[in-house]
Amino acid sequence: MVSTLADVARAAGVHPGTASKALNPDSRHLVAAVTVQRVREIAAELDYQPNSFARGLRTSRSFTIGLLVPDLTNPLFPPIVRGIEEVLGAAGYSALIVNTDNDAKKEMQLFMTLLSRRCDGFILATAFRQDPVVEAISKRNIPAVLVNRSTESHLLPAVAGDEVAEVRDAIKYLVKLGHRRIAHVASPQNLSPGYIRHRAFLTTIRDLGLEPEECPVVVATGFNEAAGEAASKELVSHSTSRPTAILAGNDQLAIGVMDRLSTTGIKCPEDISVIGFNDIPRMDRINPALTTFALPKHEMGVKAAQILQAWIEGTSIPEPSTIYLPCPLIIRDSTGPAPS
Amino acid sequence: MVSTLADVARAAGVHPGTASKALNPDSRHLVAAVTVQRVREIAAELDYQPNSFARGLRTSRSFTIGLLVPDLTNPLFPPIVRGIEEVLGAAGYSALIVNTDNDAKKEMQLFMTLLSRRCDGFILATAFRQDPVVEAISKRNIPAVLVNRSTESHLLPAVAGDEVAEVRDAIKYLVKLGHRRIAHVASPQNLSPGYIRHRAFLTTIRDLGLEPEECPVVVATGFNEAAGEAASKELVSHSTSRPTAILAGNDQLAIGVMDRLSTTGIKCPEDISVIGFNDIPRMDRINPALTTFALPKHEMGVKAAQILQAWIEGTSIPEPSTIYLPCPLIIRDSTGPAPS
DNA sequence: CTGAAAGCGCTAACAG
DNA sequence: CTGTTAGCGCTTTCAG
């Protein structure tokens, strides 16, 4: 068994209360320097580890944060997690990480179990545009911040990519290359990125004076390659009216679109240019290398964690607004001049 | 604030002890069915969540497991984590996940903080061939299992790919294609996969009657593309004596090797065939698509988790031996007949 | 079947 | 500066 505070106190010939003060940085100054020294030595000797159950029970602090992600297997999320861990880990917090698979029921259930573990705060990369968990958190006034997704009702602070700017930059870039028939394969609309990009697409098309009927949108039923392939089938079937450029909702959808193109015998980028979003790993190595926007994943994690830490520790209560981080356009080989 | 067991008991008109029994599946049978019913209803109404600090303090069980991985950003690990979560999550455990970056000091430090959080068990994907953390765990007799890596001293059960079979299969396959000059770019030797594959390479070369001096080994200084590129520089510099096939220590190293080949103007697979290990995502989409071995990542996680759970719950104390899972060879475009 | 009481290990308020 | 005390919320004997 491991040793307890009482063991340390006994060995040091002091009262447990005193030992506690000696060992705790915030109350060390209340104890004589020699005593502190002795207690610490003995603690080290017995390699005493404070029982975090007991401490938590007393202080109502766990130094644990709950981290909800849709799926760690999606390469978007690990860098975010690392960014979070980098700041919160250094501050003494550990992360309880769960995968929700974009399942609202699972999300709520997992949240409840994390809640009963008394997490000091939460970071959610899982929010739906309307999200009961977000409401539950907000109602209970628990520190929490959203990352990569935001909710319709701005109940919690969020850190996300600047999706509106991305879409505008993408379309401007394509127009400069001579494209006028630009289509959008949108990701599902119940999550903010899909919805925001879709809306930004519509308004940008209008703002730039393109013909809306030449710029169709089709909403994919998922986030992966297969969904992209399925969604673009109809889009590229009529060789006369087909777009010359396709903006996919994310990189995986873009790959699916390119799969469809290659099975249909359409060349990318000669016939149709394709753009993705997020710049997940190895998009520079697929064929053709994908033009996409670099979401600052690590930085998003860092920012979210900083906001959460300040909130937990009472340094600053954040506004429930969204911070939009810029996403540079990475031009590679999947885009080129519009065919003549 | 959330409600406590005492609140529930009061509202139900019973003693807290009784409420506790009524709510706990294992002791429910000690309480009258009607009472159980009433207490449960009231608990649900107040949405009572047991305080896990208090419970843990009393029971010395946290229903938490510590999960140490080198780097979540390496696509090898998320599927393992998901496999683990799948079994342990269903059993009521949550996972505290930390990244060690293959830094022994960081590993020990993080382990100690997880220990003070009273994890019921550990799964390590981080073990070095000699690993102080593994020794510390073993000495304290804490349930823990290794995954993807094993230690020299078989102190803990482990689940890994069958690296010896992989290497043998790889070389046999290459020999069948006519290769006799086969080189190995090994991954660092302080981790079991690098070491085991290296040894298997040596013995297989001998067993198959190839000339050892025609089958050089160079040990890479890291696990990534850059390390693979650097390690293969020398190997392919002499056009007369260069190998016709290279077995890289993992997929990232293999990509590095292919980078080197393409900058040197050597064609893959026409001039040199390349094989990787693990089959990380999108190896089927790079150019040329990589021939590699499919490590059963998810299954490894599942197996490790099952062993751990049985150990924690006392169902079965496992042998400290390694389970080797078969890894099928996935033949793609980076391998072909030896040049004549 | 239910109630009473003790105590897990710690911290924080207060007294000396 | 150090000791005393109480109690966080729960489970688990032991009595009734």
Side-chain angles (χ1 to χ4, degrees):
Chain A
M1 249 335 271
V2 278
S3 47
T4 78
L5 186 59
D7 298 333
V8 175
R10 199 175 317 115
V14 295
H15 191 272
T18 308
S20 170
K21 285 170 214 149
L23 258 16
N24 203 310
D26 296 340
S27 51
R28 219 196 317 285
H29 66 277
L30 298 171
V31 176
V34 253
T35 314
V36 169
Q37 179 65 10
R38 192 172 69 248
V39 171
R40 295 190 63 186
E41 275 166 9
I42 298 205
E45 206 169 298
L46 301 182
D47 69 23
Y48 165 72
Q49 294 284 126
N51 182 321
S52 54
F53 293 143
R55 173 177 283 175
L57 185 56
R58 195 53 240 253
T59 60
S60 306
R61 299 268 282 105
S62 63
F63 282 92
T64 283
I65 66 136
L67 190 37
L68 289 88
V69 299
D71 180 11
L72 270 183
T73 264
N74 181 335
L76 196 56
F77 299 110
I80 298 179
V81 172
R82 299 265 356 216
I84 293 170
E85 193 197 38
E86 185 177 308
V87 352
L88 254 9
Y93 295 83
S94 303
L96 244 8
I97 305 179
V98 298
N99 296 272
T100 65
D101 290 313
N102 286 322
D103 174 338
K105 201 167 136 202
K106 205 167 162 189
E107 185 191 353
M108 179 56 90
Q109 204 174 283
L110 286 166
F111 166 67
M112 292 310 283
T113 91
L114 293 185
L115 196 62
S116 83
R117 286 169 192 290
R118 295 300 190 272
C119 291
D120 293 335
F122 292 86
I123 294 183
L124 317 198
T126 53
F128 295 93
R129 276 172 54 218
Q130 265 117 330
D131 196 302
V133 169
V134 171
E135 282 167 27
I137 292 179
S138 165
K139 202 172 55 193
R140 288 168 209 248
N141 230 311
I142 301 172
V145 0
L146 308 182
V147 71
N148 191 47
R149 299 178 182 179
S150 53
T151 55
E152 213 83 306
S153 54
H154 293 279
L155 261 21
L156 293 175
V159 181
D162 190 345
E163 287 130 358
V164 172
E166 280 178 324
V167 169
R168 204 182 36 226
D169 291 353
I171 298 177
K172 278 186 178 165
Y173 161 69
L174 289 170
V175 165
K176 197 169 284 175
L177 285 172
H179 296 270
R180 298 199 59 84
R181 310 176 70 87
I182 301 170
H184 181 34
V185 172
S187 57
Q189 300 291 294
N190 57 340
L191 306 179
S192 64
Y195 181 73
I196 292 176
R197 288 191 185 120
H198 182 177
R199 289 217 326 187
F201 181 83
L202 264 22
T203 62
T204 306
I205 289 300
R206 215 188 3 238
D207 291 355
L208 296 185
L210 299 174
E211 289 298 334
E213 54 274 23
E214 289 180 355
C215 297
V217 176
V218 22
V219 176
T221 58
F223 302 88
N224 55 17
E225 288 82 352
E229 177 155 22
S232 50
K233 181 171 184 184
E234 184 67 15
L235 216 48
V236 301
S237 59
H238 305 295
S239 61
T240 59
S241 64
R242 78 155 90 101
T244 65
I246 298 178
L247 211 54
N250 69 28
D251 293 336
Q252 288 94 329
L253 289 170
I255 291 177
V257 169
M258 296 199 302
D259 285 347
R260 164 62 56 189
L261 297 187
S262 83
T263 62
T264 318
I266 300 173
K267 288 207 164 54
C268 173
E270 292 80 359
D271 300 323
I272 296 188
S273 288
V274 175
I275 297 187
F277 289 100
N278 297 344
D279 195 28
I280 61 175
R282 270 168 280 281
M283 289 303 99
D284 54 339
R285 295 192 176 268
I286 64 174
N287 191 7
L290 183 68
T291 294
T292 185
F293 287 85
L295 187 68
K297 310 166 197 75
H298 185 270
E299 187 190 350
M300 277 173 34
V302 167
K303 271 257 160 31
Q306 288 169 337
I307 296 172
L308 184 66
Q309 190 191 349
W311 192 355
I312 290 175
E313 298 178 355
T315 319
S316 80
I317 299 179
E319 290 295 309
S321 58
T322 302
I323 295 177
Y324 296 101
L325 266 23
C327 305
L329 172 62
I330 312 289
I331 297 175
R332 292 200 273 243
D333 307 333
S334 66
T335 47
S340 46
Chain B
M1 251 334 272
V2 280
S3 46
T4 77
L5 186 60
D7 297 334
V8 175
R10 198 175 319 114
V14 296
H15 190 270
T18 308
S20 170
K21 286 168 212 150
L23 259 16
N24 203 310
D26 296 340
S27 52
R28 223 202 305 292
H29 66 276
L30 298 172
V31 176
V34 252
T35 313
V36 170
Q37 178 66 7
R38 191 171 71 248
V39 171
R40 296 190 62 187
E41 275 166 11
I42 297 204
E45 208 168 296
L46 302 183
D47 65 26
Y48 165 71
Q49 294 284 126
N51 181 320
S52 52
F53 292 143
R55 174 176 285 175
L57 186 55
R58 199 49 240 259
T59 60
S60 306
R61 299 269 280 103
S62 63
F63 282 94
T64 283
I65 65 135
L67 191 38
L68 289 87
V69 299
D71 180 10
L72 270 183
T73 263
N74 180 336
L76 196 59
F77 299 109
I80 297 179
V81 172
R82 299 265 356 215
I84 292 169
E85 193 198 38
E86 186 176 308
V87 352
L88 253 10
Y93 295 83
S94 302
L96 244 9
I97 305 179
V98 298
N99 295 272
T100 65
D101 289 313
N102 286 322
D103 174 339
K105 201 167 136 203
K106 206 167 162 189
E107 185 190 352
M108 178 56 90
Q109 204 174 283
L110 287 166
F111 166 67
M112 292 309 282
T113 93
L114 292 184
L115 196 62
S116 84
R117 289 178 141 70
R118 297 299 193 273
C119 291
D120 293 337
F122 291 86
I123 293 182
L124 316 199
T126 53
F128 295 94
R129 277 171 53 217
Q130 265 117 330
D131 197 302
V133 169
V134 170
E135 281 166 27
I137 292 180
S138 166
K139 201 173 53 192
R140 288 167 209 250
N141 229 312
I142 301 171
V145 359
L146 308 183
V147 71
N148 192 45
R149 299 179 182 177
S150 52
T151 55
E152 212 85 304
S153 54
H154 292 279
L155 261 20
L156 293 175
V159 181
D162 190 345
E163 287 129 358
V164 172
E166 279 179 323
V167 169
R168 203 180 38 223
D169 292 352
I171 297 177
K172 277 187 180 166
Y173 162 69
L174 289 170
V175 166
K176 197 169 284 176
L177 285 172
H179 296 271
R180 299 198 60 84
R181 310 176 73 85
I182 301 171
H184 180 34
V185 172
S187 57
Q189 299 290 296
N190 57 341
L191 305 179
S192 64
Y195 181 73
I196 293 176
R197 288 192 185 117
H198 182 177
R199 288 217 326 187
F201 181 83
L202 265 22
T203 62
T204 306
I205 289 301
R206 213 189 5 238
D207 291 354
L208 296 185
L210 299 175
E211 290 298 334
E213 55 274 22
E214 290 180 352
C215 297
V217 175
V218 23
V219 176
T221 57
F223 303 89
N224 55 16
E225 290 82 352
E229 177 156 21
S232 50
K233 182 172 183 183
E234 184 67 15
L235 217 48
V236 300
S237 59
H238 305 295
S239 62
T240 59
S241 64
R242 79 156 89 102
T244 64
I246 298 178
L247 212 53
N250 69 27
D251 293 337
Q252 289 95 328
L253 289 171
I255 292 177
V257 169
M258 297 199 299
D259 285 348
R260 164 63 54 192
L261 297 187
S262 83
T263 63
T264 319
I266 300 172
K267 289 209 162 49
C268 172
E270 292 80 358
D271 300 324
I272 297 188
S273 287
V274 175
I275 297 187
F277 289 99
N278 297 344
D279 195 29
I280 62 175
R282 270 168 281 281
M283 290 303 98
D284 54 340
R285 294 189 176 272
I286 63 174
N287 193 5
L290 183 67
T291 295
T292 185
F293 287 84
L295 187 70
K297 311 168 196 71
H298 184 270
E299 187 190 349
M300 276 171 37
V302 168
K303 271 258 158 33
Q306 287 169 337
I307 295 172
L308 184 66
Q309 189 190 349
W311 192 355
I312 290 175
E313 299 179 353
T315 319
S316 80
I317 298 180
E319 289 296 310
S321 58
T322 303
I323 296 177
Y324 296 101
L325 266 22
C327 305
L329 172 63
I330 313 288
I331 297 175
R332 292 201 274 243
D333 306 334
S334 67
T335 47
S340 45

